[in-house]
Amino acid sequence: MTSSRRERVAQGPDVLFCYGTLQFDAVLKGLLGRIPARTPVSAPEWRAAALAGRVYPGLVAYSHGGSAPGVLLTDLTDGEWEILDAFEDDRYELREVVLSTGQRGWTYVWPGGDVLAEDWGAAAFEVQHLQAYADRCARIGPRLAAGLPKGE
C-alpha cells in the first residue's frame, strides 16, 4: 500500500536519486526555481523502464545485471521535497535503494503496470519532449510551492 504524501516526506529523506525527467536542469528549475547540487550515480539492479502512454519512466527492479543511470540530488530543502513529492504520480512509492557508490538514496519506484520491455531514453526524451515538459513544470511549480494541486 502506498503511503500518503505527507507520510512519505515525514520519513525524513535526505538525498534523492533521479533517473528520469528530474535529471534535466529545465525541469528542476521549473519545479523548484533552482537547480540543486547533484552527483552522477546509478542504481544497480534497477532500470528506468519506458511506461505505456507516458513520456516519463518508472524505476523497476531488474536482476539481470543492469543499472539505472541518474543523478543524486543532495541539498533539497524540506519545502523542495514536498514540491517534488506532490509532483510525482500517486502510484510511485518512495523507497530507499542502494546506489553504485554503496550509499543509500531515496527514489520514486514504479510499483508495476504499464511497464514496457524497453528502457526509457533520456536522449530521446530531451529531443522529443523536454521543452513542452519543462514548460509544464514551470507552470505547475509555483502551484505546488503554494500547496495547491498540480492541475493546470
Side-chain angles (χ1 to χ4, degrees), residues 4-137:
S4 73
R5 287 188 178 120
R6 181 163 279 126
E7 290 169 344
R8 294 191 313 198
V9 174
Q11 295 178 51
D14 51 359
V15 295
L16 179 65
F17 172 65
C18 301
Y19 54 86
T21 62
L22 294 177
Q23 297 179 86
F24 291 92
D25 290 355
V27 172
L28 291 168
K29 183 89 168 151
L31 290 171
L32 305 177
R34 73 180 188 101
I35 301 163
R38 60 194 169 196
T39 305
V41 69
S42 62
E45 299 186 16
W46 293 90
R47 74 178 184 97
L51 300 175
R54 295 175 175 86
V55 300
Y56 55 85
L59 191 69
V60 296
Y62 188 68
S63 60
H64 301 292
S67 186
V71 296
L72 194 62
L73 303 183
T74 59
D75 70 340
L76 293 171
T77 67
D78 289 345
E80 290 168 337
W81 267 104
E82 289 178 14
I83 290 168
L84 294 177
D85 201 59
F87 174 71
E88 293 298 347
D89 190 296
D90 285 339
R91 289 188 57 193
Y92 283 101
E93 296 173 0
L94 185 61
R95 191 182 303 174
E96 248 186 329
V97 297
V98 177
L99 302 168
S100 56
T101 59
Q103 74 184 110
R104 299 179 73 78
W106 292 92
T107 194
Y108 289 95
V109 173
W110 190 255
D114 303 324
V115 175
L116 301 177
E118 65 267 11
D119 289 345
W120 179 80
F125 171 82
E126 184 173 19
V127 170
Q128 298 170 1
H129 304 288
L130 177 58
Q131 187 62 57
Y133 197 87
D135 290 348
R136 177 178 176 262
C137 290

